[in-house]
Each structure stands twice: as structure tokens, then as C-alpha cells.
């Protein structure tokens, strides 16, 4: 079944955000991408980090997930980028169409 999903990733800068977003749209893998600045505090390799990032919210369908994951991994500068998929359980039907 082709379910509606949200894929979330963070990137270090607007250039990476724009690059990944444009490729996703060129490949027709999403309906919408929203991005917001944020600050991330996280532990990585036993070191506490505090970085400015952008969070991307990618609205798509489940059949595109593996292609989106592969594309993010190919074009993302992080060694281990955040790639999280959320299933949309419910929502306004006209919007979800």
C-alpha cells in the first residue's frame, strides 16, 4: 500500500538543503519540502556538540522512501545523517490528496 509519510533529515547549511531538495523534486520523489533553522545539541563520538542546522520535512509516499534515503545518503555531508520516516496516520483528506 502507498501510504503518506514524512521523511525528516537535518543538514548543516542552506546549500545542502537546496541541493537535496532540488534533486528530490527533479526525481519527482516528494510533494512538498519544508525547512526550518534549528539548533542541535547532541553527543557524537563521545563529544558534546552544539550546531546550527536546518531540518527538512519531506512529504511523500511510502513507495519513494528507499529512493529518498539513498539520495540523502549520496548527497549528505554527514558521516551518519539523520533520516527518520513517520507514517501519517490521519489528516485532512483534501490536503493529503
Amino acid at each position: 500500500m502507498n501510504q503518506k509519510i514524512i521523511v525528516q533529515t537535518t543538514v548543516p547549511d542552506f546549500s545542502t538543503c537546496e541541493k537535496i531538495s532540488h534533486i528530490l523534486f527533479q526525481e519527482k520523489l516528494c510533494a512538498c519540502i519544508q525547512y526550518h533553522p534549528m539548533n542541535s545539541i547532541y553527543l557524537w563520538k563521545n563529544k558534546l556538540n552544539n550546531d546550527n542546522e536546518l531540518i527538512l520535512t519531506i512529504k511523500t509516499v511510502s513507495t519513494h522512501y528507499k529512493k529518498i534515503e539513498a539520495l540523502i545518503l549520496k548527497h549528505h555531508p554527514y558521516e551518519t545523517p539523520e533520516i527518520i520516516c513517520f507514517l501519517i496516520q490521519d489528516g485532512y483528506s483534501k490536503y493529503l490528496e
Side-chain angles (χ1 to χ4, degrees):
M1 182 154 49
N2 206 18
Q3 296 180 302
K4 308 288 193 275
I5 61 171
I6 290 175
V7 178
Q8 178 178 296
T9 190
T10 54
V11 295
D13 52 48
F14 183 72
S15 175
T16 305
C17 171
E18 201 169 47
K19 178 181 181 180
I20 289 172
S21 296
H22 284 214
I23 296 169
L24 287 169
F25 279 111
Q26 286 172 352
E27 298 292 323
K28 297 182 175 28
L29 293 175
C30 62
C32 175
I33 299 174
Q34 296 169 314
Y35 63 90
H36 308 278
M38 60 181 273
N39 187 267
S40 295
I41 300 172
Y42 58 96
L43 193 60
W44 180 251
K45 296 185 177 181
N46 293 320
K47 180 183 173 208
L48 188 61
N49 296 273
N50 189 335
D51 293 324
N52 292 318
E53 296 182 297
L54 295 166
I55 187 166
L56 280 71
T57 302
I58 304 160
K59 299 174 185 179
T60 189
V61 291
S62 57
T63 54
H64 293 328
Y65 175 77
K66 286 297 182 186
K67 289 181 184 177
I68 291 170
E69 181 184 87
L71 189 147
I72 291 171
L73 289 171
K74 180 178 179 181
H75 297 282
H76 206 291
Y78 292 170
E79 180 182 336
T80 307
E82 170 189 355
I83 307 172
I84 301 173
C85 179
F86 301 95
L87 177 62
I88 298 174
Q89 294 288 333
D90 204 359
Y92 182 49
S93 61
K94 288 185 180 183
Y95 176 79
L96 294 176
E97 288 173 14

